[in-house]
Amino acid sequence: MKTNLHLSSLFGFFLLFSGISYTQVSGSGRAYDFNSSNVSIPNSASLNMANVTLEAWIKADTWATNIWQNVIISKEGWATGENGYTLRSGANGSLSFLMGDGVPGWHEVTSGPIMSTGQWYHVAGTYDGLVMRLYINGIEVGTTNYAGAIATTTYTLSIGNSTYAPGGNRYFDGMIDEVRIWNSALSQATLRDYLCRKVTSTHPNYSNLAGYWNFDVSGAVVDQTSNGNTGTANGATLVNSSAPIGNASAHSYAGTANFTLNNGTTDSVQVVSSSIFETLHIYRVDGAPLVTTALSSLDSLDQNHYYGVYASAVGSYNYDLTYYYGTNPLLTGTQTYGKIATRLNGSAVPWVPAAAVHDIPNSKFTMNLTNRIEARLAIDCPGINITPSGSQAFCAGDSIVLVDNGQATIHQWYDGSGAIAGETGSSLTVNAAGTYYVIANNGACSTTGTNINVTVNPNPVASFGTISTTFCENDADEIILNGTPAVGTYSGPGITGSSFSPSQAGSGNHILMYSVTDINGCSDSVTNAVQVNTAPALPVITQNGADLCVANVAGLTYSWFESGTLISGATSNCYTAITNGNYTVVATNSDACSEMSAVYILSDLSLLEKTISFEITLSPNPASEWLELKSVDENQAFNFEIRDAQGRIVQKVEKNTAQHILDVSQFQSGVYFVHLQDVNDSKTILFIKE
């Protein structure tokens, strides 16, 4: 959390706080919200009088159809004697003041539909023994002549509903605040003077105050006079009041305005306007507010007092408000960071910085306004705005940069061990885990940055796995085994997945790599060197009579095979055959890399080979599924073996019969040799597998 301290706190004159503002309500007070509810006050002699003033602040949510349906204050009998008094409203915002004389007879003064829903109005009814008068916002809106008494009643006093239950409920729907009942008729001037002020003993008619309920505390509805007319809330909800009520006020009526309200010699507010107002009040609220809510951007507010402007006019209006802050200690020595904080309509919303012109040489702020406003002095300290250049969790070996993007000019960075020596700039490079913050100031204001918790994740340790280090160019592909962690990937010449192909890599020395990245994005890699040696060129066998030869290449050694069997001593590039057969030769170089020739079938020698004396047939030839070997002489039995083109025995049959049927469906396609033999003779016959 951002913490802001201001040097002016030494005055003890106001509170400064950490990103928090007090959501003040007008006059630091409360109001009751009525909806099918009321406040009841027991009957007492002090509430029956010859002359009377009833007054209250009201803000209706809805208006009833008839003027008598939204009762504000009631102590009247209606159908049981026509006595008592009531102040009520309805009929699209009309106001009524009614008295009973007990004859029977009712006397009433009413206004037209002047008031709107959702707005605060001060309403009052007075009777001086001769004339009944009705006021809205201190403006007389109706009179009725009546010379006589107000018949007394034993009914309770009700706020928010009618007293007389058999007459049906006549609830007020909305808020009511500052209810006052006087046993004299207040003058219009007095009503105006105390319209936006709490009543104290300085009021010129204070001794005539019969009942005063400001609703500022929960529980019993306490009468602020010594008459003890304390009541009970019956379902009404106590809420923050936004009525324009302060501890001091000044006003202007019926014309343009140019007047001032001050707070001794500390500061003052002046309102100047060329607009025509019905009424315009400046009020001052003294004392700290009640409720705390988050403050959007300001660092500290004047907790000693604030000012408000309440206005009503026909049509739109505007006025200039000038706040002369003079010797207010909040801005003493800190004018540069001074602001005006405002809220509209006396509502309980957070205070926000206003678009005011700050004239530092003349210690004042000026605003042009088009609505009701409340204003207070504020401080906007040069803030900090820590912006890490990367993630606050990074990998070992990396770092982030913490930067103060605010206006502060002096910094000291801290970690868990305290101040970091030498780190007094607007940025800090962090490469170790821990908690970091900065204290920044511009002399008058000091700000502590939010804690930034930095995590350093370890890097994984990669292990390449198992692979041969030396290959021949014509070796088979090899799978690399057991690389860890298993989530890694291989790369390099000849790599496909986890397989290494010597032929794809080609001859030479190669660097292969195994790379691992874990779930935190941290990585490691390890390399492995392999050598691929060049293989000899493919030897090609040629025949010259009985001589089988391949090209004689310097540095190569040769090994001859007949039907896959090494011929002892046959190590030259040439070999003189002594029998027909399947011959291959392997050429090997100094790196032990070998290459085998294709099978050379030698079938035109008869030097030592005997030929069997009987005839054999093979069919079909080529064969795909079955091969039949049959002696022409049906009594001539024989054995045989089958070799592939490399001379390897793939099948051997030692069943002495004259006919053999052989399943060749599983043989690979290609050339095969059937070697027949009886007791003394042998013969080789070629067949092709499709």
Side-chain angles (χ1 to χ4, degrees), residues 281-423:
H281 286 254
I282 306 174
Y283 57 92
R284 188 188 74 243
V285 179
D286 299 334
L290 297 176
V291 183
T292 59
T293 59
L295 180 67
S296 59
S297 61
L298 296 170
D299 294 288
S300 53
L301 299 170
D302 187 344
Q303 302 300 315
N304 179 266
H305 63 281
Y306 67 95
Y307 293 91
V309 175
Y310 176 76
S312 66
V314 177
S316 61
Y317 60 84
N318 70 83
Y319 60 93
D320 291 325
L321 183 148
T322 302
Y323 196 127
Y324 295 93
Y325 52 84
T327 61
N328 191 306
L330 183 66
L331 299 190
T332 300
T334 59
Q335 288 178 269
T336 302
Y337 312 120
K339 296 284 184 181
I340 285 288
T342 62
R343 62 180 183 178
L344 299 177
N345 300 323
S347 56
V349 298
W351 297 82
V352 296
V357 177
H358 190 185
D359 181 353
I360 293 178
N362 293 303
S363 302
K364 66 180 182 179
F365 294 95
T366 302
M367 297 177 287
N368 183 261
L369 302 168
T370 59
N371 47 30
R372 178 185 167 191
I373 198 76
E374 289 184 336
R376 64 198 295 198
L377 293 179
I379 289 289
D380 185 13
C381 286
I384 64 175
N385 180 15
I386 301 299
T387 308
S389 64
S391 172
Q392 291 171 220
F394 53 84
C395 303
D398 293 337
S399 63
I400 60 172
V401 179
L402 308 180
V403 180
D404 172 15
N405 291 321
Q407 304 173 18
T409 57
I410 304 171
H411 299 79
Q412 176 60 62
W413 293 88
Y414 293 79
D415 61 14
S417 300
I420 305 173
E423 295 297 345

Side-chain angles (χ1 to χ4, degrees), residues 397-463:
D398 293 337
S399 63
I400 60 172
V401 179
L402 308 180
V403 180
D404 172 15
N405 291 321
Q407 304 173 18
T409 57
I410 304 171
H411 299 79
Q412 176 60 62
W413 293 88
Y414 293 79
D415 61 14
S417 300
I420 305 173
E423 295 297 345
T424 56
S426 61
S427 65
L428 174 69
T429 300
V430 175
N431 54 24
T435 299
Y436 298 85
Y437 66 94
V438 65
I439 295 179
N441 68 80
N442 261 22
C445 296
S446 178
T447 306
T448 300
T450 302
N451 286 343
I452 294 183
N453 297 312
V454 174
T455 301
V456 179
N457 296 312
N459 292 314
V461 178
S463 175

Side-chain angles (χ1 to χ4, degrees), residues 193-359:
D193 287 345
Y194 282 83
L195 194 82
C196 293
R197 293 175 62 177
K198 290 181 178 293
V199 172
T200 67
S201 59
T202 60
H203 192 288
N205 299 86
Y206 188 73
S207 61
N208 300 111
L209 193 57
Y212 176 26
W213 302 271
N214 58 21
F215 305 145
D216 284 351
V217 296
S218 59
V221 184
V222 178
D223 179 11
Q224 301 299 310
T225 74
S226 60
N227 294 321
N229 293 316
T230 295
T232 302
N234 303 306
T237 304
L238 197 62
V239 296
N240 289 346
S241 175
S242 55
I245 304 166
N247 301 95
S249 67
H251 55 77
S252 175
Y253 275 82
T256 60
N258 186 346
F259 64 109
T260 299
L261 178 65
N262 61 47
N263 182 34
T265 60
T266 303
D267 54 30
S268 62
V269 163
Q270 180 184 26
V271 169
V272 177
S273 175
S274 58
S275 296
I276 303 298
F277 287 92
E278 292 177 324
T279 179
L280 186 63
H281 286 254
I282 306 174
Y283 57 92
R284 188 188 74 243
V285 179
D286 299 334
L290 297 176
V291 183
T292 59
T293 59
L295 180 67
S296 59
S297 61
L298 296 170
D299 294 288
S300 53
L301 299 170
D302 187 344
Q303 302 300 315
N304 179 266
H305 63 281
Y306 67 95
Y307 293 91
V309 175
Y310 176 76
S312 66
V314 177
S316 61
Y317 60 84
N318 70 83
Y319 60 93
D320 291 325
L321 183 148
T322 302
Y323 196 127
Y324 295 93
Y325 52 84
T327 61
N328 191 306
L330 183 66
L331 299 190
T332 300
T334 59
Q335 288 178 269
T336 302
Y337 312 120
K339 296 284 184 181
I340 285 288
T342 62
R343 62 180 183 178
L344 299 177
N345 300 323
S347 56
V349 298
W351 297 82
V352 296
V357 177
H358 190 185
D359 181 353

Side-chain angles (χ1 to χ4, degrees), residues 50 94 155 191-192 283 290 363 373 500 516 527 552 672:
S94 300
Y155 283 102
L191 287 173
R192 290 178 175 182
Y283 57 92
L290 297 176
S363 302
I373 198 76
F500 173 67
V516 177
T527 60
N552 189 13
Y672 291 82

